[in-house]
Structure formats: structure tokens, C-alpha cells
Amino acid sequence: SAMLMQTLNATVISNALPTMAVALDEDPLRLNLAITMFLLASAVFLPISGWVADKFGAKRIFMIAMVLFALSSAACGFAQNLNQLVIARIFQGMAGAMMGPVGRLVLLRTTPKSELVGAMSVLTMPALLGPVIGPVVGGAIVTFFDWRWIFFMNLPIAVAGVLLVRAYVPNVKEQEVSPIDGIGILLTGLGLAGLIFGFENIGRDALPPGVVAALFLVSIAALVAYRFHAKGNPHAIIDLSIFRLVTFRASVIGGAFMRVAMGATPFLLAMLLQIGFGLSAFQAGLMTFISAAGALVMKTTAPPILRRYGFRTVLLVNAVIVGGSFMAYGLFKPSTPHWIMLAVLAIGGFFRSLQFTSLNGLAYAEIEQQQMSRASTTSSMAQQLVQSIGIGLAALLLHTLMVAQGQTQMTAATIAPAFVIIGAITFISILFFIPLPKDAGDEMNGRDRA
């Protein structure tokens, strides 16, 4: 239920942005701030999620987070301007930072490592219902009703979720909880906030160039300071030592180049189909939901594929397919038959899901049980960070392409090259998959026994 709320919320708002921009009298490119600030808040508050769950119990924190997510969703629905919407989205991101990692932590602590890939694959299937039904439901809401209902529909899901958590989720928590790392939280929060907010404002007129440069400098200084703070500190909020593990490094850093594209694509597709091709939000939703349907099908086939070929081979071959599919979206034209677009979107969703299932499983291949809490937090934080960078990068690319082409309004010709650039970035991940040993993660998928 928690993951359904988060993924439904993410896919619905991407498809609704052009309509919301008209209703709030804002430029569509500025509306991406509502997505970016949600991810920013999530990334900043993610570091403490594991500690809070250990301290107060996963079950209690899980229920509180779901209630707060629902209340902030209602606040988004009542927003009258962009500023109010962004503030409500920040609180929504704070609550979301507690939901995902805490739920994953329960899974990691209660599932044998040999069954973890299958368990995570099953766990994320309900979450994939969000991307499947989100574009269609959200498109129908903003086309035939009021966009505000895309936020109000989280309320009944939250009620059902809290009741299910009370009945079924075990209250997993550590017997000994390390002291809270206040300095680490401050440094990581400042570093991530400066990085994302600075990236959001590159090439814009919202802030002077000097202020944007200062944001990056403060961010880099804070993250470097955290590096020294964490060295040899057993209570550091983010355990940087786990990046020495080749599997974790490949999953988090190598996977980041894939997740940049994942963050950018829903935003770019909404702009291409609605502003570039003139489709309604409902029509665009019907087009893009097929990508999530392909991802849902892949979830049942990922474990046997990984057992047959292993993580390294799957990640290397699939990286080429996924990058190519992102670039193929840039070839869409208003005259392209819809069945061709649907086929490309379905294939892209299918193989993209395999890539992320593989990356998520590989991250914990060499992680010991006592490291699970910090590994889960670190992985989740990195994912939120690079997705927010992906959205900011997409908006920056569109702005740059408009300026380069001397245009004042977005067209399909403006948006298409952004897909090619984003797709090319994903190929960088291959450099992190090549050093993996051939048997990397075999214990996770049962391949060692086979």
C-alpha cells in the first residue's frame, strides 16, 4: 500500500504537469519543481530512516509515515499556487523517506539471502500497479475532472495500508541502537539539498548565477566534510565503507546512470506526448501505461533469468538494450503509428524492469546482516538523489535545446533530442558492471546451488 501510494503519486503527477501548469498559470518547466522538491526532501530525510526504525520500531514508524504522507497529499490537493504545492510536496517527501526504506528493512531482516531476489521481485509487484494505472487514472482525472483529485485518491489507500500494517507487519528493531549522528545528518542534508537545488536552477533566471555557484560550493564542502567525519566513525549515519564492496558499488554508482534516465523519462514523455504531439492527458496516459505493464510482466521472469545467466551478464547485455530503448523514444514523431510507439514503450519497460530488479538484488549480495539498515538507507538515498537529478537534467536539457534552437515554446523537435542524450548517459553504467566477477551475487539468486 505504501509503495502503491508513492509510485501512483509519482506517475500521476508527471502526466498531469501540463494541465496543472495551465491551472496554476505557471510554465510547464517550472512545475517540475514539484517533483524535484519531493525527491529532495526524500533524499535529505532518508539517512535517518534506518536509525528511527531501529530506535522506535519499524511498525510504528511505518504507520506514522503513511498517515503523514496521506495528510500532505491532501495539502497538495488544496494548494492554490506553486509555492503552496511545493511546500506540501516537501512534507510529502519527508513522509515518503520513511515509508520505502523502513518497509524494505523489514524484508531484508526477515528473508534468507538466497530468497531475497525473489522476495524483492514479489514485493515490488504491487508497487508496479502505480505506474500501470497511474498514467491512465491520472490522465482521466485531469482530462475529465479536476487535477486536485490525483492527490486526494491517496487517502483511502493510506487507510487500507495502516490497517494492513497493524495486522501483518512485524515490529522489527535492533536490540542495541547506535547514537544518532547529528553532525552527519546536518552535513549530508546540507550537501544533498545544495546539490539538487543548485542543479535545479542551472540555466534558469530564478536565482543569480553567483548564488547557484555558491550552492554547489557549499554542497561539495559539506559532502567532503562528511567524508572526513564518517572515516573511522562507527556511528556515522551513512556507512561509506560499504562502497568498497564491488557489488554494492556497481549497483548504487553504476545503477545511478540508469536511474537518471528513469527519473527523466516520465517527465519528458509527458512533455513530448502532450505538448509536442498535442495529445490529452488521458490519451498520453493510455500510451505510457504500456511501459509499466511491460515492467510488471518482467517481475515474474527476472529470477529465472538471473539464475540462468548471472548478474554480470544480465547487467551488461541489458544496459545496451535499456539505453537503446531510451534513445528510441527520441525517434517518435506525430506521424509515428501508435502501435509502434506502444511496442517500443512496452519493450523498454520490460527490460528496464529487469535491469532495476538486478541492480536492487545485487546491492545486498555482500552486505552482512548488521549492515542491512545502513545499506538500505544508503541505497534508497542514492536512488532518490539521482532520480531528482534526472528530472532537473531533463528540464535543463529542454531549456538549453529551446535556447539553442531559438524557440520560445516547446515543440516535438525540441524534446526529442533530450531522449537521445539521456539514453547515451545510461551507457556509462557499463564501466561499473565490467569489473564484476562472473559469480557476483550467485548466492542471491540460487545460481550457486544450480
Side-chain angles (χ1 to χ4, degrees), residues 112-200:
K113 188 171 281 191
S114 61
E115 300 174 14
L116 205 50
V117 171
M120 292 183 76
S121 185
V122 171
L123 176 74
T124 54
M125 286 180 71
L128 285 171
L129 288 175
V132 171
I133 65 177
V136 179
V137 173
I141 288 173
V142 300
T143 301
F144 304 116
F145 301 101
D146 191 322
W147 64 266
R148 299 179 187 278
W149 285 97
I150 68 176
F151 295 105
F152 296 147
M153 67 181 178
N154 280 332
L155 301 180
I157 302 175
V159 172
V162 169
L163 294 176
L164 289 168
V165 170
R166 286 191 63 184
Y168 298 110
V169 172
N171 197 23
V172 178
K173 72 179 193 179
E174 290 287 293
Q175 297 300 314
E176 296 182 10
V177 182
S178 62
I180 186 70
D181 180 17
I183 295 176
I185 292 171
L186 177 64
L187 290 174
T188 55
L190 188 63
L192 294 174
L195 187 65
I196 295 175
F197 200 60
F199 200 87
E200 171 70 24

Coordinates of all heavy atoms in Angstrom, one line a residue, residues 112-200:
P112 N 15.7 -15.0 4.1 CA 17.1 -15.6 3.9 C 17.7 -15.0 2.6 O 16.9 -14.7 1.6 CB 16.8 -17.0 3.7 CG 15.5 -17.3 4.4 CD 14.7 -16.0 4.2
K113 N 19.0 -14.8 2.6 CA 19.6 -14.1 1.5 C 19.4 -14.8 0.1 O 19.2 -14.2 -0.9 CB 21.1 -14.0 1.7 CG 21.9 -13.1 0.7 CD 23.3 -12.8 1.1 CE 23.4 -11.7 2.1 NZ 24.8 -11.2 2.3
S114 N 19.3 -16.2 0.2 CA 19.1 -16.9 -1.0 C 17.7 -16.7 -1.7 O 17.5 -17.0 -2.8 CB 19.3 -18.4 -0.8 OG 18.4 -18.9 0.2
E115 N 16.8 -16.2 -0.8 CA 15.4 -16.0 -1.3 C 15.2 -14.5 -1.6 O 14.0 -14.1 -1.9 CB 14.4 -16.5 -0.3 CG 14.5 -18.0 -0.1 CD 13.6 -18.5 1.0 OE1 12.7 -17.7 1.4 OE2 13.8 -19.6 1.6
L116 N 16.2 -13.6 -1.4 CA 15.9 -12.2 -1.4 C 15.6 -11.6 -2.8 O 14.7 -10.8 -2.8 CB 17.2 -11.5 -0.9 CG 17.0 -10.1 -0.3 CD1 15.9 -10.1 0.8 CD2 18.3 -9.6 0.4
V117 N 16.2 -12.1 -3.9 CA 15.8 -11.6 -5.2 C 14.4 -11.9 -5.5 O 13.6 -11.0 -5.9 CB 16.7 -12.2 -6.3 CG1 16.2 -11.8 -7.7 CG2 18.2 -11.7 -6.1
G118 N 13.9 -13.1 -5.2 CA 12.5 -13.5 -5.5 C 11.6 -12.7 -4.6 O 10.5 -12.2 -5.1
A119 N 12.0 -12.5 -3.3 CA 11.1 -11.8 -2.4 C 11.0 -10.3 -2.8 O 9.9 -9.7 -2.8 CB 11.7 -11.9 -1.0
M120 N 12.1 -9.7 -3.2 CA 12.0 -8.3 -3.6 C 11.3 -8.1 -4.9 O 10.6 -7.1 -5.1 CB 13.5 -7.7 -3.7 CG 14.2 -7.6 -2.4 SD 15.9 -6.9 -2.6 CE 15.4 -5.2 -2.8
S121 N 11.4 -9.1 -5.8 CA 10.6 -9.1 -7.0 C 9.1 -9.1 -6.8 O 8.3 -8.4 -7.3 CB 11.0 -10.2 -7.9 OG 10.4 -10.2 -9.2
V122 N 8.7 -10.0 -5.8 CA 7.3 -10.1 -5.5 C 6.8 -8.9 -4.8 O 5.8 -8.3 -5.0 CB 7.1 -11.4 -4.6 CG1 5.6 -11.4 -4.1 CG2 7.3 -12.6 -5.4
L123 N 7.7 -8.4 -3.9 CA 7.3 -7.2 -3.1 C 7.0 -6.0 -4.0 O 6.1 -5.2 -3.7 CB 8.5 -6.8 -2.1 CG 8.3 -5.6 -1.3 CD1 7.3 -5.8 -0.2 CD2 9.6 -5.1 -0.7
T124 N 7.8 -5.8 -5.0 CA 7.6 -4.6 -5.9 C 6.5 -4.8 -6.9 O 6.1 -3.8 -7.5 CB 8.9 -4.3 -6.6 OG1 9.3 -5.4 -7.3 CG2 10.0 -3.9 -5.6
M125 N 5.9 -6.0 -7.0 CA 4.8 -6.1 -8.0 C 3.6 -5.2 -7.7 O 3.1 -4.5 -8.6 CB 4.4 -7.6 -8.1 CG 5.4 -8.4 -8.8 SD 4.9 -10.2 -9.0 CE 3.5 -10.0 -10.1
P126 N 3.1 -5.1 -6.4 CA 2.1 -4.2 -6.1 C 2.5 -2.7 -6.4 O 1.6 -1.9 -6.9 CB 1.8 -4.4 -4.6 CG 2.3 -5.7 -4.3 CD 3.5 -5.9 -5.2
A127 N 3.7 -2.4 -6.1 CA 4.2 -1.0 -6.4 C 4.1 -0.7 -7.9 O 3.9 0.4 -8.3 CB 5.6 -0.9 -5.9
L128 N 4.3 -1.8 -8.7 CA 4.2 -1.5 -10.2 C 2.8 -1.2 -10.7 O 2.6 -0.8 -11.8 CB 4.8 -2.7 -10.9 CG 6.3 -2.8 -10.9 CD1 6.8 -4.2 -11.4 CD2 7.0 -1.7 -11.6
L129 N 1.8 -1.5 -9.8 CA 0.5 -1.2 -10.2 C 0.3 0.4 -10.4 O -0.5 0.9 -11.1 CB -0.5 -1.7 -9.2 CG -0.8 -3.2 -9.2 CD1 -1.7 -3.6 -8.0 CD2 -1.4 -3.7 -10.5
G130 N 1.2 1.1 -9.6 CA 1.1 2.5 -9.7 C 1.4 3.0 -11.1 O 0.6 3.8 -11.7
P131 N 2.6 2.7 -11.6 CA 2.9 3.1 -13.0 C 1.9 2.5 -14.0 O 1.8 3.1 -15.1 CB 4.3 2.5 -13.2 CG 4.9 2.4 -11.9 CD 3.8 2.1 -11.0
V132 N 1.3 1.4 -13.8 CA 0.4 0.8 -14.7 C -0.9 1.6 -14.8 O -1.4 2.0 -15.8 CB 0.1 -0.7 -14.4 CG1 -1.0 -1.2 -15.3 CG2 1.4 -1.5 -14.6
I133 N -1.5 1.8 -13.6 CA -2.8 2.5 -13.6 C -2.6 4.0 -13.4 O -3.6 4.8 -13.8 CB -3.7 1.9 -12.5 CG1 -3.1 2.3 -11.1 CG2 -3.9 0.5 -12.6 CD1 -4.0 1.8 -9.9
G134 N -1.5 4.5 -13.0 CA -1.3 5.9 -12.7 C -1.5 6.8 -13.9 O -2.3 7.7 -13.9
P135 N -0.8 6.5 -15.1 CA -1.0 7.4 -16.2 C -2.4 7.4 -16.7 O -2.9 8.5 -17.1 CB -0.1 6.8 -17.3 CG 1.0 6.1 -16.5 CD 0.3 5.6 -15.3
V136 N -3.1 6.3 -16.7 CA -4.5 6.2 -17.2 C -5.4 6.9 -16.2 O -6.2 7.8 -16.6 CB -4.9 4.7 -17.4 CG1 -6.3 4.7 -17.9 CG2 -4.0 4.1 -18.4
V137 N -5.4 6.6 -14.9 CA -6.2 7.2 -13.9 C -6.0 8.7 -13.8 O -6.9 9.5 -13.8 CB -6.1 6.5 -12.6 CG1 -6.8 7.2 -11.5 CG2 -6.5 5.0 -12.6
G138 N -4.7 9.0 -13.7 CA -4.3 10.4 -13.6 C -4.7 11.2 -14.9 O -5.3 12.3 -14.8
G139 N -4.5 10.6 -16.1 CA -4.9 11.3 -17.3 C -6.4 11.5 -17.4 O -6.9 12.5 -17.8
A140 N -7.2 10.5 -16.9 CA -8.7 10.6 -16.9 C -9.1 11.7 -15.9 O -10.0 12.5 -16.2 CB -9.3 9.3 -16.5
I141 N -8.4 11.7 -14.7 CA -8.8 12.7 -13.7 C -8.6 14.2 -14.3 O -9.5 15.0 -14.2 CB -8.0 12.5 -12.4 CG1 -8.6 11.3 -11.7 CG2 -8.2 13.7 -11.5 CD1 -7.8 10.8 -10.5
V142 N -7.4 14.4 -14.8 CA -7.1 15.8 -15.2 C -7.8 16.2 -16.5 O -8.0 17.4 -16.8 CB -5.6 16.0 -15.4 CG1 -4.9 15.8 -14.0 CG2 -5.0 15.1 -16.4
T143 N -8.2 15.2 -17.3 CA -8.9 15.5 -18.6 C -10.4 15.7 -18.3 O -11.0 16.6 -18.9 CB -8.7 14.3 -19.6 OG1 -7.3 14.1 -19.8 CG2 -9.4 14.6 -20.9
F144 N -11.0 14.8 -17.5 CA -12.5 14.9 -17.3 C -12.9 15.5 -16.0 O -14.1 15.8 -15.8 CB -13.0 13.5 -17.5 CG -12.7 12.8 -18.8 CD1 -11.9 11.7 -18.8 CD2 -13.1 13.3 -20.0 CE1 -11.5 11.0 -20.0 CE2 -12.7 12.7 -21.2 CZ -12.0 11.6 -21.2
F145 N -12.0 15.6 -15.0 CA -12.4 16.1 -13.7 C -11.5 17.2 -13.3 O -11.2 18.1 -14.1 CB -12.4 15.0 -12.6 CG -13.3 13.8 -13.0 CD1 -12.8 12.6 -13.6 CD2 -14.7 13.9 -12.8 CE1 -13.7 11.6 -13.9 CE2 -15.5 12.9 -13.2 CZ -15.0 11.7 -13.7
D146 N -11.0 17.2 -12.0 CA -10.1 18.3 -11.5 C -8.8 17.6 -11.1 O -8.8 16.6 -10.5 CB -10.8 18.9 -10.3 CG -10.0 20.2 -9.9 OD1 -8.8 20.2 -10.0 OD2 -10.7 21.2 -9.5
W147 N -7.7 18.2 -11.5 CA -6.3 17.7 -11.2 C -6.1 17.4 -9.7 O -5.3 16.6 -9.3 CB -5.2 18.5 -11.7 CG -5.1 19.9 -11.1 CD1 -5.7 21.1 -11.6 CD2 -4.4 20.3 -9.9 NE1 -5.4 22.1 -10.8 CE2 -4.6 21.7 -9.8 CE3 -3.6 19.6 -9.0 CZ2 -4.1 22.4 -8.7 CZ3 -3.1 20.3 -8.0 CH2 -3.3 21.7 -7.8
R148 N -6.9 18.1 -8.8 CA -6.6 18.0 -7.4 C -7.0 16.6 -6.9 O -6.4 16.2 -5.9 CB -7.5 19.1 -6.7 CG -7.1 20.5 -7.0 CD -7.9 21.5 -6.3 NE -7.6 22.9 -6.9 CZ -6.6 23.6 -6.5 NH1 -5.8 23.1 -5.6 NH2 -6.4 24.8 -7.0
W149 N -7.8 15.9 -7.6 CA -8.2 14.5 -7.1 C -7.1 13.5 -7.3 O -7.1 12.5 -6.7 CB -9.4 14.1 -7.9 CG -10.7 14.7 -7.3 CD1 -11.3 15.8 -7.8 CD2 -11.4 14.4 -6.1 NE1 -12.4 16.2 -7.0 CE2 -12.4 15.3 -6.0 CE3 -11.2 13.4 -5.2 CZ2 -13.3 15.2 -4.9 CZ3 -12.1 13.3 -4.1 CH2 -13.2 14.2 -4.0
I150 N -6.0 13.9 -8.1 CA -4.9 13.0 -8.1 C -4.2 12.8 -6.8 O -3.5 11.8 -6.5 CB -3.9 13.4 -9.3 CG1 -3.1 14.7 -8.9 CG2 -4.5 13.5 -10.6 CD1 -2.1 15.1 -9.9
F151 N -4.3 13.8 -6.0 CA -3.7 13.8 -4.6 C -4.7 13.2 -3.6 O -4.3 12.5 -2.7 CB -3.2 15.2 -4.2 CG -2.1 15.7 -5.0 CD1 -2.3 16.7 -5.9 CD2 -0.8 15.2 -4.9 CE1 -1.3 17.2 -6.7 CE2 0.2 15.7 -5.6 CZ 0.0 16.7 -6.6
F152 N -6.0 13.6 -3.7 CA -7.0 13.1 -2.8 C -7.1 11.6 -2.8 O -7.5 10.9 -1.8 CB -8.3 13.7 -3.0 CG -8.3 15.2 -2.8 CD1 -9.1 16.1 -3.6 CD2 -7.5 15.8 -1.8 CE1 -9.1 17.4 -3.4 CE2 -7.5 17.2 -1.6 CZ -8.3 18.0 -2.4
M153 N -6.8 10.9 -4.0 CA -7.1 9.5 -4.1 C -6.1 8.7 -3.2 O -6.2 7.5 -3.1 CB -7.0 9.0 -5.5 CG -5.7 9.1 -6.2 SD -5.9 8.6 -7.9 CE -4.2 8.8 -8.5
N154 N -5.0 9.3 -2.7 CA -4.1 8.6 -1.8 C -4.8 8.3 -0.4 O -4.3 7.4 0.3 CB -2.9 9.5 -1.5 CG -1.9 9.4 -2.7 OD1 -1.8 8.4 -3.4 ND2 -1.1 10.4 -2.8
L155 N -5.8 9.1 -0.1 CA -6.4 8.9 1.3 C -6.9 7.5 1.6 O -6.6 6.9 2.6 CB -7.4 10.0 1.5 CG -6.9 11.5 1.4 CD1 -8.0 12.5 1.6 CD2 -5.8 11.7 2.4
P156 N -7.8 7.0 0.7 CA -8.3 5.6 1.0 C -7.2 4.5 1.0 O -7.3 3.6 1.7 CB -9.3 5.4 -0.1 CG -9.0 6.3 -1.2 CD -8.4 7.5 -0.5
I157 N -6.2 4.7 0.1 CA -5.1 3.8 0.1 C -4.3 3.8 1.4 O -3.9 2.8 1.9 CB -4.1 4.1 -1.1 CG1 -4.8 4.1 -2.4 CG2 -2.9 3.1 -1.1 CD1 -4.0 4.5 -3.6
A158 N -4.1 5.0 2.0 CA -3.4 5.1 3.3 C -4.2 4.5 4.4 O -3.6 3.8 5.2 CB -3.2 6.6 3.6
V159 N -5.5 4.6 4.4 CA -6.3 4.0 5.4 C -6.2 2.5 5.4 O -6.0 1.8 6.4 CB -7.8 4.4 5.3 CG1 -8.7 3.6 6.2 CG2 -8.0 5.9 5.6
A160 N -6.3 1.9 4.1 CA -6.2 0.5 4.0 C -4.8 0.0 4.4 O -4.6 -1.0 5.0 CB -6.4 0.1 2.5
G161 N -3.8 0.8 4.0 CA -2.4 0.5 4.4 C -2.1 0.4 5.9 O -1.5 -0.5 6.4
V162 N -2.6 1.4 6.6 CA -2.4 1.4 8.0 C -3.1 0.2 8.7 O -2.5 -0.4 9.6 CB -3.0 2.8 8.6 CG1 -3.0 2.7 10.2 CG2 -2.1 3.9 8.2
L163 N -4.3 -0.1 8.2 CA -4.9 -1.3 8.8 C -4.1 -2.6 8.5 O -4.0 -3.5 9.4 CB -6.3 -1.4 8.2 CG -7.3 -0.3 8.6 CD1 -8.6 -0.5 7.9 CD2 -7.5 -0.3 10.1
L164 N -3.6 -2.7 7.3 CA -2.8 -3.9 6.9 C -1.5 -3.9 7.7 O -1.0 -5.0 8.1 CB -2.5 -3.9 5.4 CG -3.7 -4.1 4.5 CD1 -3.3 -3.8 3.1 CD2 -4.1 -5.6 4.6
V165 N -0.8 -2.8 7.9 CA 0.4 -2.8 8.7 C 0.1 -3.2 10.1 O 0.9 -4.0 10.7 CB 1.0 -1.4 8.7 CG1 2.2 -1.3 9.7 CG2 1.5 -1.0 7.3
R166 N -1.0 -2.7 10.7 CA -1.3 -3.1 12.1 C -1.5 -4.6 12.2 O -1.1 -5.2 13.2 CB -2.6 -2.4 12.6 CG -2.4 -0.9 12.9 CD -3.6 -0.4 13.6 NE -3.8 -1.0 14.9 CZ -4.9 -0.8 15.7 NH1 -5.8 0.1 15.3 NH2 -5.0 -1.4 16.8
A167 N -2.1 -5.2 11.2 CA -2.4 -6.6 11.2 C -1.2 -7.6 10.9 O -1.1 -8.6 11.5 CB -3.6 -6.9 10.3
Y168 N -0.3 -7.1 10.0 CA 0.6 -8.1 9.4 C 2.1 -7.8 9.5 O 2.9 -8.7 9.4 CB 0.3 -8.3 7.9 CG -1.1 -8.9 7.7 CD1 -2.1 -8.2 7.1 CD2 -1.4 -10.2 8.1 CE1 -3.4 -8.7 6.9 CE2 -2.6 -10.8 7.9 CZ -3.6 -10.0 7.3 OH -4.8 -10.5 7.1
V169 N 2.5 -6.5 9.7 CA 3.9 -6.2 9.7 C 4.5 -6.4 11.0 O 4.1 -5.8 12.0 CB 4.1 -4.7 9.2 CG1 5.5 -4.3 9.3 CG2 3.6 -4.6 7.7
P170 N 5.6 -7.2 11.1 CA 6.3 -7.4 12.4 C 7.0 -6.1 12.8 O 7.5 -5.4 12.0 CB 7.3 -8.5 12.1 CG 7.5 -8.4 10.6 CD 6.2 -8.0 10.0
N171 N 7.1 -5.9 14.1 CA 7.8 -4.7 14.6 C 9.3 -5.0 14.8 O 9.8 -5.2 15.9 CB 7.2 -4.3 16.0 CG 7.6 -2.9 16.3 OD1 7.9 -2.1 15.5 ND2 7.6 -2.6 17.6
V172 N 10.0 -5.0 13.6 CA 11.4 -5.4 13.6 C 12.2 -4.2 14.1 O 12.1 -3.1 13.6 CB 11.9 -5.7 12.2 CG1 13.4 -6.0 12.1 CG2 11.1 -6.9 11.7
K173 N 13.1 -4.4 15.1 CA 14.0 -3.3 15.6 C 15.2 -4.0 16.2 O 15.2 -5.1 16.7 CB 13.3 -2.4 16.5 CG 13.0 -2.8 17.9 CD 12.3 -1.7 18.6 CE 12.3 -2.0 20.1 NZ 11.7 -0.8 20.9
E174 N 16.3 -3.2 16.2 CA 17.6 -3.6 16.8 C 17.5 -3.6 18.3 O 16.8 -2.8 18.9 CB 18.7 -2.7 16.3 CG 19.0 -2.9 14.8 CD 19.7 -4.2 14.5 OE1 20.9 -4.4 15.0 OE2 19.1 -5.0 13.9
Q175 N 18.2 -4.6 18.9 CA 18.3 -4.6 20.4 C 19.2 -3.4 20.9 O 18.9 -2.8 21.9 CB 18.9 -5.9 20.9 CG 18.0 -7.1 20.5 CD 16.7 -7.0 21.1 OE1 16.5 -6.7 22.3 NE2 15.6 -7.3 20.3
E176 N 20.3 -3.1 20.2 CA 21.2 -2.0 20.5 C 21.2 -1.0 19.4 O 21.5 -1.4 18.2 CB 22.6 -2.5 20.7 CG 22.7 -3.5 21.9 CD 24.1 -3.9 22.2 OE1 25.0 -3.4 21.5 OE2 24.3 -4.8 23.0
V177 N 20.8 0.2 19.7 CA 20.7 1.3 18.7 C 21.9 2.2 18.9 O 22.1 2.7 20.0 CB 19.4 2.0 18.8 CG1 19.3 3.1 17.7 CG2 18.2 1.0 18.7
S178 N 22.6 2.5 17.8 CA 23.8 3.4 17.9 C 23.3 4.8 18.2 O 22.2 5.2 17.8 CB 24.6 3.3 16.6 OG 23.8 3.8 15.5
P179 N 24.1 5.7 18.7 CA 23.7 7.1 19.0 C 23.4 7.8 17.6 O 24.0 7.5 16.6 CB 24.9 7.7 19.7 CG 25.7 6.6 20.2 CD 25.4 5.4 19.3
I180 N 22.5 8.7 17.6 CA 22.1 9.4 16.4 C 23.3 10.3 16.0 O 23.9 11.0 16.9 CB 20.9 10.3 16.6 CG1 20.4 10.9 15.3 CG2 21.1 11.3 17.7 CD1 19.9 10.0 14.3
D181 N 23.6 10.3 14.7 CA 24.8 11.1 14.2 C 24.2 12.5 13.7 O 24.0 12.7 12.5 CB 25.4 10.3 13.1 CG 26.6 11.0 12.4 OD1 27.1 12.0 13.1 OD2 27.0 10.7 11.3
G182 N 24.1 13.4 14.7 CA 23.5 14.7 14.3 C 24.4 15.5 13.3 O 23.9 16.1 12.4
I183 N 25.7 15.4 13.5 CA 26.6 16.2 12.6 C 26.5 15.6 11.2 O 26.4 16.3 10.2 CB 28.0 16.1 13.1 CG1 28.2 16.9 14.4 CG2 29.0 16.7 12.1 CD1 29.5 16.8 15.1
G184 N 26.5 14.2 11.1 CA 26.3 13.5 9.9 C 25.1 13.9 9.1 O 25.0 14.1 7.9
I185 N 23.9 13.9 9.9 CA 22.7 14.3 9.3 C 22.7 15.7 8.7 O 22.2 16.0 7.6 CB 21.5 14.2 10.3 CG1 21.3 12.7 10.7 CG2 20.2 14.8 9.8 CD1 20.4 12.5 11.9
L186 N 23.3 16.7 9.5 CA 23.4 18.0 9.1 C 24.2 18.2 7.8 O 23.8 18.8 6.8 CB 24.0 18.9 10.2 CG 24.2 20.4 9.9 CD1 22.9 21.1 9.6 CD2 25.0 21.1 11.0
L187 N 25.4 17.5 7.8 CA 26.3 17.6 6.6 C 25.7 16.9 5.4 O 25.8 17.5 4.3 CB 27.6 17.0 7.0 CG 28.5 17.7 8.0 CD1 29.7 16.9 8.3 CD2 28.9 19.1 7.4
T188 N 25.1 15.8 5.5 CA 24.5 15.1 4.3 C 23.3 15.9 3.8 O 23.1 16.0 2.6 CB 24.1 13.6 4.7 OG1 23.3 13.6 5.8 CG2 25.4 12.8 4.9
G189 N 22.5 16.3 4.8 CA 21.3 17.1 4.4 C 21.7 18.4 3.6 O 21.1 18.7 2.6
L190 N 22.7 19.1 4.2 CA 23.1 20.3 3.5 C 23.7 20.0 2.2 O 23.5 20.7 1.2 CB 24.1 21.0 4.4 CG 24.6 22.4 4.0 CD1 23.4 23.4 4.0 CD2 25.7 22.9 5.0
G191 N 24.5 19.0 2.1 CA 25.2 18.6 0.8 C 24.2 18.2 -0.2 O 24.3 18.7 -1.4
L192 N 23.2 17.4 0.1 CA 22.3 16.9 -0.9 C 21.3 18.0 -1.3 O 21.0 18.2 -2.5 CB 21.5 15.7 -0.3 CG 22.3 14.5 -0.1 CD1 21.4 13.4 0.6 CD2 22.8 13.9 -1.4
A193 N 20.9 18.8 -0.3 CA 20.0 19.9 -0.6 C 20.6 20.9 -1.6 O 20.1 21.4 -2.6 CB 19.5 20.6 0.6
G194 N 21.9 21.3 -1.3 CA 22.6 22.2 -2.1 C 22.8 21.7 -3.5 O 22.7 22.4 -4.5
L195 N 23.2 20.4 -3.6 CA 23.4 19.8 -4.9 C 22.2 19.8 -5.8 O 22.2 20.2 -6.9 CB 23.9 18.4 -4.7 CG 24.4 17.6 -5.9 CD1 25.7 18.2 -6.5 CD2 24.7 16.1 -5.5
I196 N 21.1 19.3 -5.2 CA 19.8 19.2 -6.0 C 19.2 20.5 -6.3 O 18.8 20.8 -7.5 CB 18.8 18.3 -5.3 CG1 19.3 16.9 -5.1 CG2 17.5 18.3 -6.0 CD1 18.4 16.0 -4.3
F197 N 19.2 21.5 -5.3 CA 18.6 22.8 -5.6 C 19.5 23.6 -6.6 O 19.0 24.3 -7.4 CB 18.4 23.5 -4.3 CG 17.4 24.6 -4.4 CD1 16.1 24.4 -4.7 CD2 17.8 25.9 -4.1 CE1 15.2 25.4 -4.8 CE2 16.9 27.0 -4.2 CZ 15.6 26.7 -4.5
G198 N 20.8 23.4 -6.5 CA 21.7 24.1 -7.4 C 21.5 23.6 -8.8 O 21.4 24.3 -9.8
F199 N 21.4 22.2 -8.9 CA 21.2 21.6 -10.2 C 19.9 22.1 -10.8 O 19.8 22.3 -12.1 CB 21.3 20.1 -10.1 CG 21.5 19.4 -11.4 CD1 22.8 19.1 -11.8 CD2 20.5 18.9 -12.2 CE1 23.1 18.5 -12.9 CE2 20.8 18.3 -13.4 CZ 22.1 18.1 -13.8
E200 N 18.9 22.2 -10.0 CA 17.5 22.6 -10.4 C 17.6 24.0 -11.1 O 16.8 24.3 -12.0 CB 16.6 22.6 -9.2 CG 15.2 23.2 -9.5 CD 14.4 22.4 -10.4 OE1 14.6 21.1 -10.5 OE2 13.5 22.9 -11.0

